Amino acid sequence: MSGADIAFVKMHGCGNDYIVLDGVARPELAAGDAPWRAKACEMCDRRTGIGADGVIVVSRGEGADDVRAEVVNSDGSPGGMCGNGIRMVAKLAIERGYVRTDRMTVVMGGVGWRKIGVEAERGADGIVRRARADMGRPELEAARVPVETASLERAGEHCWAVRSGGVGHVMTFVSMGNPHAVMFVDATPGAPEVTRLGAMLERHDAFPERMNVHWARVVEPRIVEVATWERGAVMTMACGTGA
């Protein structure tokens, strides 16, 4: 890397793609005033930039087998947790020798910076093929997601009715270190509808930190089809914490 150039790795988990920056090799990339932060939107632009749902910068953790990862959304806002991103971070850290074993801890930005245990599986060639992350327990208390429920109507246990554009939407709010609103539906909406509704619901007045919005259709007991609108980004192909 020299001048304004930034070395990066383009990675994805189930199509949820990120620009990953190595702040272990170049610690200045993890600094709060790193120049790339002002250009995150340009970097993520799919027509004129690299194209991604966001940027992840990886840096050293406190322990020998810890790494720290910060997520920045494609609009430049803080991303908090990212389930698919954690797996990308594990792959980079292991294959570049930043941790000693295939078990590691990723400290990722969110409510209080969560510590996530990750276990990777490598092939005979040493390449990480899979990674499993323990995302911890979901938080269902609306105030801790956070959601301001004073203007909402309760629609059942952990369910609330949210009105937007004159239409009511029944949602369950969940935090995995970032806020999610899940709607169980009979038919998954198409991209135009997800984009229209997602853009409105993300910024509803009841959501002080904005919201990731999901439409979930139970196909059969062990299969759920989901359409996702991610806060600070757009409609994405997958969302690990949303899953």
Side-chain angles (χ1 to χ4, degrees):
M1 183 196 333
S2 62
D5 295 333
I6 299 177
F8 68 91
V9 180
K10 179 69 183 291
M11 305 177 77
H12 80 90
C14 299
N16 189 196
D17 59 340
Y18 285 86
I19 299 163
V20 183
L21 305 182
D22 189 340
V24 177
R26 301 300 298 262
E28 66 271 19
L29 293 177
D33 60 352
W36 68 264
R37 295 177 184 276
K39 298 183 178 181
C41 295
E42 297 176 32
M43 293 164 62
C44 293
D45 190 287
R46 295 190 182 277
R47 292 185 180 274
T48 59
I50 300 164
D53 292 329
V55 181
I56 299 176
V57 57
V58 182
S59 57
R60 289 283 187 193
E62 294 181 358
D65 294 318
D66 295 349
V67 293
R68 187 178 175 96
E70 180 189 357
V71 182
V72 177
N73 293 324
S74 59
D75 70 351
S77 63
M81 289 296 299
C82 178
N84 284 314
I86 285 172
R87 299 188 296 135
M88 300 175 208
V89 170
K91 179 176 175 66
L92 182 139
I94 290 171
E95 292 182 1
R96 295 195 174 182
Y98 297 153
V99 295
R100 299 170 299 178
T101 71
D102 292 348
R103 294 174 181 266
M104 59 187 294
T105 299
V106 177
V107 181
M108 185 170 274
V111 179
W113 288 84
R114 285 192 174 191
K115 289 187 176 182
I116 306 298
V118 185
E119 182 177 359
E121 298 178 15
R122 284 197 267 189
D125 55 3
I127 301 299
V128 174
R129 304 298 184 191
R130 300 169 60 88
R132 175 179 294 178
D134 181 355
M135 298 299 297
R137 294 179 63 85
E139 174 60 67
L140 292 167
E141 184 180 336
R144 295 175 63 86
V145 172
V147 176
E148 297 175 355
T149 59
S151 63
L152 307 182
E153 297 178 15
R154 187 175 287 277
E157 184 179 11
H158 302 306
C159 293
W160 299 85
V162 178
R163 297 197 67 81
S164 180
V167 179
H169 306 272
V170 176
M171 300 178 170
T172 298
F173 302 119
V174 188
S175 173
M176 294 302 298
N178 54 355
H180 297 272
V182 181
M183 293 175 281
F184 285 94
V185 295
D186 294 327
T188 309
E193 189 73 350
V194 170
T195 299
R196 183 182 70 83
L197 291 174
M200 288 194 303
L201 293 170
E202 173 191 354
R203 298 175 180 274
H204 192 281
D205 291 343
F207 308 146
E209 295 182 10
R210 297 193 287 175
M211 188 63 69
N212 297 293
V213 185
H214 310 274
W215 292 261
R217 181 177 73 90
V218 179
V219 179
E220 56 183 71
R222 295 181 62 86
I223 298 177
V224 180
E225 178 184 79
V226 183
T228 293
W229 175 272
E230 290 199 52
R231 65 171 183 166
V234 291
M235 183 178 180
T236 58
M237 292 184 67
C239 177
T241 53

